[in-house]
């Protein structure tokens, strides 16, 4: 493994970590449905503001 391989792998790890953190923040804020309210099993419990 050379230096450029390490840089590419570290960039991929940082991107994946950012996506995980972003998804956790969305879930914490109450927007756990990713495909919209029409396909969400929890749409009955959502307030009209979040829809």
């Amino acid at each position: 493994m050379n230096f450029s391989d390490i840089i590419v792998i570290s960039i991929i790890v940082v991107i994946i970590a950012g996506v995980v953190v972003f998804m956790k923040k969305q879930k914490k804020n109450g927007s756990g449905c990713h495909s919209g309210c029409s396909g969400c099993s929890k749409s009955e419990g959502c307030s009209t503001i979040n829809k």
Side-chain angles (χ1 to χ4, degrees):
M1 229 199 257
N2 57 15
F3 186 69
S4 62
D5 290 337
I6 294 172
I7 291 175
V8 170
I9 291 172
S10 64
I11 289 172
I12 291 171
V13 168
V14 168
I15 290 172
I16 291 173
V19 168
V20 169
V21 168
F22 178 73
M23 290 177 72
K24 282 188 177 184
K25 283 184 181 181
Q26 275 190 332
K27 188 172 183 178
K28 184 179 177 182
N29 290 336
S31 57
C33 298
H34 299 289
S35 63
C37 287
S38 62
C40 183
S41 63
K42 299 177 184 178
S43 64
E44 296 294 324
C46 292
S47 68
T48 56
I49 296 171
N50 291 338
K51 289 184 180 181

